[in-house]
Amino acid sequence: MAISPVSFLHFLLLFLLNQPSSSSSSDHPQTFIIHVSKSHKPSLFSSHHDWYTSIIQSLPPSPQPAKILYNYNHAIHGFSAHLTPTQLAKLRLVPGILSVIPDQIRQLHTTHTPSFLGLSESSRLWQNSGYGDGVIIGVLDTGIWPEHKSLSDSGLSDVPANWKGICETGPDFPASSCNKKLIGARAFHQGYITQKGSPIDESKESASPRDTEGHGTHTATTAAGSLAHNASLFQYATGEARGMASKARIAAYKICWSSGCYDSDILAAMDQAIYDGVHVISLSVGATGHAPQYDHDSIAIGAFGASQHGIVVSCSAGNAGPGPYTAVNIAPWILTVGASTIDREFPADVVLGNGWVFSGVSLYSGDPLVDYKLPLVYAGDVGSRYCYMGSVSPSKVQGKIVVCDRGGNARVEKGAAVKLAGGLGMILANTADSGEELIADSHLLPATEVGEIAANKIRQYIKSDQSPTATILFRGTIIGTSPAAPKVAAFSSRGPNYLTPEILKPDVIAPGVNILAGWTGFVGPTDLELDPRRVEFNIISGTSMSCPHVSGIAALLRKAYPEWSPAAIKSALVTTAYNLDNSGKNIKDLASGEESTPFIHGAGHVDPNSALDPGLVYDMDTSDYISFLCAIGYDSNRIAVFVREPPSSDICSGKVGSPGNLNYPSFSVVFQSTSDVVTYKRVVKNVGSSLDAVYEVKVNSPANVDIKVSPSKLVFSAENKTLSYEITFSSVSLDWPTIIPSTFGSIEWSDGIHGVRGPIAVKWRQGSSRDSI
C-alpha cells in the first residue's frame, strides 16, 4: 500500500519523537497552552483533535502520562495539555506549533446604579434597545445561582435563534435550572483539577455551573438581571434591582474556583462562548501584577479571537490601585473598565469621647452598641495593627471598640478577629494606600470604615487621651449629592499603559463601589466560613462590579446597532464619557483627594444614553490590530498566535509606524525630548442622523503642548461617510524640570448637536519609560 509524502513525513516525525531520551523522577509535569497552525494538520487526520491526540501519544512516556485538557477551535487554534519538560521539548519540534505558554492562574477583581447612569423607563437607550432583548452576554466567572429571582424569565421572548449552547447538568444543577433568561451554563475545571492534583471537594465548591462563591451571580445579575422587587441587603439599599440590560440573556461559564481562574479553563470558556453565539463576553478576571505581554496573555489572545467574530469583550482593569501602571486587560481590542462610586451611601459615624464626629460607612445589621461610649483602643497597641485572626489580645480588647488598620487581610475578617477576642466594635481605619475611599461591608459586629484623615485623628486621640472612648451610629441608606459622585475608587487599577504607553488605559470608569446585586445561597455575604448568614442580594465592590455594568450597556448598544463592530461600540462609550461629578466639578480620585486624570479614569465615566447617539465613531478591525502589533515590534512569530497561521515574513510589510496611529478614540502621547513632535492619524465615521453633518474641532491643549488638527473641519455627505484627520502634538521647548512629567487635555468634534470628545494624555520620557507620571 502506497504512503503519501505527507503521511511519510508524519510517521518519520513520530519515529524521531519516540527515540529514547533521558528523564528523571524530577521531570515534573505542568499544564501548557499550545497554539497550533490550523493549516498544518496532516491530511491523514480527519480532525484537529485526532492530530493533537496523535502528537500527545507520540511523546516520550512518563510516570504521569501526557493528556489533553481542552481542544480550542474559535478563540485560538490549539490545545492545552499536561506535559513534563522532556515531553515539552519534543513537542516544540512538531511542525505547526506556533507557541507554547504555561498555564497561568488569574484572580477575580473583586440596583440603584441604573438610575445613577440615567437609565429609566423613559430613557432613550432602554427604549431603543428593547432592554437588550435577544442579546446574549457570556459571563465568565464563578458560575450562577439559578434559582435567584433576578434570573426570572417572566415576560421574555423565546431563546434567540442563534443560540447553540447547552445547560450542563449535574446533581445540584438540573436541566430546569436554565430558562429563557439563563439560557446556558457550563463549568470548566480541567485546568484547575489538573493543577490541584485531586478531584473537586464538592462539600466546599460545586463542580457544576452552580455558584458557590457569589461573585458570578453578582456580576451576571449586574449585567443582565431581570427586574426584581424588594431587593436589599439587611434593609440597606431597598428598592428595585435590575441589570443594565434586563431583557438580555445570560450564558454562565464557570471558570473560577477556590484557588483562582486558570488560563486553560478561561480559554476553553471563551472558545465555547464564541461557538455558542454570545454577543458580549464579560470577564471580571485578570493577571496579578503587571499586565503580561499580549502574546503571553491568554485573555488578550482569546479576546482577539472573539473580536474577529464580532464579540465585544469587556474586562475589569483590576483592583491593584492606586499605583501607576497597574491596569491589566489592556490590549486595545479589549474594553477595559475602572471603578467609581455612585451617589448612594451607607453612613455609620464614629463619635469620640471628646465630641468629635467622623463619617464612615457600614452595612452592619445586628444589635446596636450600648447607648453609652465604650473604651477605645488601637490594635497596634494590643497586637497586630491589621487585626489578623488570633493576633489581638483578648485581655486588652474585651468590652472595647478596636481601631484596625486597613490592609493585609480581608476587611470583614478584621472584625471577626476582634469579635472572637471579645471586642464589641471595630473602626476600620484607612491608610495612605486607600485614602478617602470608603467601602461598606456587612460586618459581623458593629463596625464602620473611616477615611485616612479621620483615621489619623482617631489614632491621635487614642494616644493623647488617658481614657479614650467612642461609639458608632448607623444611619441606614442615603442617596444624594453629598459626597459628590462619581469619584474614582482608590483600588481601581490605572495607567499609564504598562505595555504600550501610546494606548490610553483604562478606557472608561463605571459604578464599582458598594453595588447591590444577586448572591449565592451557598455562603454568607462576607464569604467567610464563620459567617452563618444567607442573603439573596449582596453589596460588594471592585472593578469586577464596574465591568458588568459596561458589559450590559454594550449589550444595549449591540441591540440598538447590530451592525456595529466591537470597536465602534467602544468608541461610542469612550467619546461620550463625562468628566464632571454631580456637583459640576471635575471627577476626583479617592486615593489622593485630587482631581482625577485620564491615566486614572480613561475617557471618563460611561454615559449610556449619550452613547446611543455618539455622532462619530472610530472603527477598527483585525487588520488594524495586526498593524498595531507590527508597530510595537512584534515579528511574524509573535503575531502568529493571533492570526493562527504559520509566521509570514510579509505580515508587517508596509505596516511599520507608531502604535499611536491605531484608530483609537483616545490619545496618549510619549515625547522623547522637550522639543519632540508626534503626529497621529485618525479616521472617523459619521453614524449620526444627518448625512451632511459638518463637524468642527475644539482643542483643549495640555500644558506645555501645542496641538494642530488638520483639517479642522470635517464635511460629511452621503458619498463621504468616513473622513480622516491628522493631529500633531508639539512639545514646548522648555528645559526640564520646567515641564510637568504628565499633562492632560482633549479634542472635541462638534456639529452643534454631538460632542465627540477624545481625551489626551501626554508624558515626557526621561531615561526610563516608567520613571514618573
Side-chain angles (χ1 to χ4, degrees):
M1 178 172 127
I3 298 177
S4 70
V6 173
S7 299
F8 174 76
L9 288 173
H10 176 72
F11 287 120
L12 178 62
L13 174 65
L14 295 186
F15 173 78
L16 292 172
L17 290 178
N18 277 304
Q19 295 308 297
S21 62
S22 60
S23 65
S24 68
S25 58
S26 63
D27 211 14
H28 188 70
Q30 183 182 350
T31 300
F32 295 91
I33 296 165
I34 299 98
H35 295 264
V36 181
S37 166
K38 183 179 181 180
S39 62
H40 260 73
K41 178 181 72 66
S43 59
L44 76 159
F45 295 108
S46 61
S47 70
H48 282 80
H49 173 71
D50 291 342
W51 179 34
Y52 303 155
T53 301
S54 175
I55 292 172
I56 292 297
Q57 291 174 344
S58 71
L59 298 177
S62 75
Q64 299 182 48
K67 65 174 183 177
I68 292 178
L69 277 64
Y70 296 106
N71 294 310
Y72 306 114
N73 301 297
H74 308 286
I76 66 168
H77 280 302
F79 60 99
S80 51
H82 205 52
L83 306 170
T84 65
T86 301
Q87 292 168 335
L88 177 64
K90 296 293 186 181
L91 177 80
R92 290 184 186 274
L93 300 176
V94 176
I97 301 298
L98 300 175
S99 176
V100 179
I101 302 174
D103 197 7
Q104 300 289 326
I105 188 170
R106 312 297 179 188
Q107 298 296 331
L108 295 163
H109 291 154
T110 281
T111 75
H112 172 68
T113 49
S115 174
F116 181 71
L117 289 165
L119 293 172
S120 65
E121 300 297 341
S122 61
S123 66
R124 292 182 301 157
L125 184 53
W126 268 355
Q127 289 182 346
N128 288 15
S129 66
Y131 301 87
D133 190 15
V135 178
I136 304 167
I137 303 176
V139 181
L140 280 61
D141 214 292
T142 64
I144 198 79
W145 192 259
E147 296 82 9
H148 200 280
K149 65 182 181 180
S150 292
L151 300 175
S152 167
D153 64 356
S154 177
L156 289 181
S157 58
D158 291 339
V159 173
N162 70 298
W163 175 245
K164 294 187 286 187
I166 66 168
C167 190
E168 186 179 289
T169 61
D172 63 350
F173 208 90
S176 60
S177 299
C178 293
N179 57 17
K180 291 184 290 185
K181 164 59 74 173
L182 178 62
I183 61 174
R186 289 177 181 263
F188 297 86
H189 47 58
Q190 291 301 314
Y192 168 54
I193 61 176
T194 300
Q195 292 288 349
K196 188 171 181 279
S198 61
I200 292 173
D201 181 355
E202 296 214 43
S203 67
K204 296 182 179 179
E205 57 182 337
S206 172
S208 80
R210 181 169 291 278
D211 181 12
T212 49
E213 198 274 352
H215 192 276
T217 303
H218 199 281
T219 56
T221 54
T222 297
S226 298
L227 176 63
H229 299 283
N230 300 316
S232 70
L233 172 66
F234 303 133
Q235 300 305 308
Y236 286 101
T238 300
E240 293 181 343
R242 71 194 312 169
M244 297 297 98
S246 58
K247 291 188 178 181
R249 314 310 167 92
I250 296 170
Y253 300 87
K254 186 174 181 178
I255 57 165
C256 295
W257 307 89
S258 59
S259 62
C261 325
Y262 290 85
D263 277 354
S264 55
D265 296 328
I266 295 171
L267 271 176
M270 296 180 85
D271 200 66
Q272 189 64 56
I274 294 169
Y275 173 81
D276 288 345
V278 306
H279 302 105
V280 177
I281 288 177
S282 186
L283 185 58
S284 294
V285 172
T288 301
H290 291 305
Q293 285 289 331
Y294 304 123
D295 60 332
H296 283 76
D297 183 349
S298 290
I299 292 176
I301 298 169
F304 189 97
S307 71
Q308 288 179 301
H309 289 83
I311 298 170
V312 177
V313 181
S314 169
C315 293
S316 48
N319 297 342
Y325 302 103
T326 50
V328 296
N329 297 323
I330 54 176
W333 48 87
I334 291 175
L335 180 50
T336 312
V337 188
S340 55
T341 63
I342 60 173
D343 59 348
R344 181 178 62 199
E345 292 284 331
F346 309 103
D349 298 339
V350 174
V351 182
L352 301 182
N354 63 4
W356 290 355
V357 179
F358 298 103
S359 298
V361 297
S362 179
L363 296 169
Y364 173 71
S365 63
D367 294 332
L369 290 168
V370 292
D371 59 0
Y372 54 86
K373 295 181 178 66
L374 295 169
L376 180 66
V377 295
Y378 175 50
D381 299 330
V382 295
S384 166
R385 60 185 280 233
Y386 294 118
C387 296
Y388 293 114
M389 197 67 72
S391 70
V392 182
S393 173
S395 63
K396 296 179 180 180
V397 304
Q398 192 162 9
K400 299 176 182 178
I401 295 176
V402 182
V403 177
C404 301
D405 285 348
R406 182 172 169 181
N409 57 340
R411 298 182 301 273
V412 289
E413 187 178 286
K414 299 173 189 291
V418 170
K419 184 176 182 178
L420 289 174
L424 296 182
M426 178 188 71
I427 298 171
L428 180 58
N430 275 8
T431 62
D433 285 343
S434 301
E436 298 308 304
E437 170 189 84
L438 300 181
I439 299 176
D441 292 300
S442 51
H443 294 283
L444 296 168
L445 83 171
T448 187
E449 179 182 4
V450 297
E452 180 194 8
I453 296 172
N456 290 338
K457 292 181 179 179
I458 293 170
R459 294 189 202 95
Q460 185 59 42
Y461 165 69
I462 294 172
K463 284 183 180 180
S464 62
D465 195 291
Q466 291 185 341
S467 301
T469 60
T471 190
I472 303 171
L473 302 178
F474 301 92
R475 298 200 284 124
T477 303
I478 293 180
I479 295 174
T481 57
S482 181
K487 291 185 173 71
V488 183
F491 62 73
S492 186
S493 294
R494 48 211 54 202
N497 188 315
Y498 181 72
L499 298 178
T500 316
E502 294 86 354
I503 301 298
L504 186 64
K505 290 286 183 172
D507 291 304
V508 291
I509 55 174
V513 178
N514 300 333
I515 304 303
L516 177 77
W519 196 245
T520 177
F522 190 81
V523 295
T526 62
D527 251 344
L528 296 177
E529 289 186 12
L530 50 76
D531 186 354
R533 301 170 298 176
R534 297 294 180 267
V535 297
E536 195 173 17
F537 292 87
N538 199 7
I539 295 173
I540 57 177
S541 301
T543 54
S544 281
M545 285 62 258
S546 55
C547 166
H549 278 92
V550 174
S551 303
I553 296 167
L556 297 173
L557 292 174
R558 175 60 188 265
K559 175 68 175 184
Y561 302 107
E563 74 283 0
W564 278 13
S565 69
I569 289 174
K570 176 197 283 188
S571 174
L573 291 167
V574 167
T575 62
T576 60
Y578 62 84
N579 286 266
L580 300 179
D581 63 26
N582 56 6
S583 72
K585 298 180 179 179
N586 288 331
I587 293 173
K588 290 188 175 181
D589 177 15
L590 280 170
S592 65
E594 304 297 325
E595 288 185 3
S596 180
T597 73
F599 282 151
I600 297 170
H601 62 240
H605 195 281
V606 288
D607 186 348
N609 289 311
S610 294
L612 178 66
D613 186 18
L616 306 177
V617 295
Y618 296 80
D619 210 351
M620 294 173 280
D621 59 21
T622 300
S623 63
D624 295 306
Y625 297 135
I626 292 173
S627 297
F628 164 80
L629 293 171
C630 295
I632 63 174
Y634 278 29
D635 60 18
S636 59
N637 291 309
R638 299 183 73 177
I639 295 173
V641 300
F642 297 97
V643 298
R644 293 168 276 180
E645 289 297 346
S648 171
S649 59
D650 61 353
I651 194 168
C652 288
S653 177
K655 295 178 181 176
V656 178
S658 167
N661 273 325
L662 182 67
N663 202 41
Y664 219 68
S666 55
F667 304 87
S668 187
V669 179
V670 181
F671 285 133
Q672 303 298 330
S673 70
T674 56
S675 58
D676 201 5
V677 177
V678 173
T679 298
Y680 292 158
K681 180 180 178 180
R682 290 294 188 268
V683 178
V684 287
K685 181 180 181 180
N686 180 20
V687 295
S689 57
S690 174
L691 295 177
D692 300 321
V694 177
Y695 281 82
E696 295 190 28
V697 72
K698 176 184 177 182
V699 177
N700 174 25
S701 293
N704 299 315
V705 180
D706 180 60
I707 294 179
K708 288 185 171 57
V709 180
S710 179
S712 60
K713 179 185 291 188
L714 298 175
V715 181
F716 293 93
S717 66
E719 296 76 28
N720 295 306
K721 295 180 180 179
T722 301
L723 296 173
S724 64
Y725 68 90
E726 286 190 342
I727 178 168
T728 299
F729 307 89
S730 301
S731 173
V732 175
S733 297
L734 296 174
D735 293 331
W736 194 269
T738 305
I739 292 180
I740 303 169
S742 298
T743 58
F744 309 95
S746 63
I747 67 166
E748 183 173 310
W749 291 96
S750 176
D751 63 348
I753 300 173
H754 307 92
V756 186
R757 183 181 175 277
I760 297 171
V762 176
K763 187 181 186 322
W764 281 262
R765 179 168 286 168
Q766 267 190 303
S768 167
S769 64
R770 300 187 180 94
D771 42 20
S772 64
I773 59 167

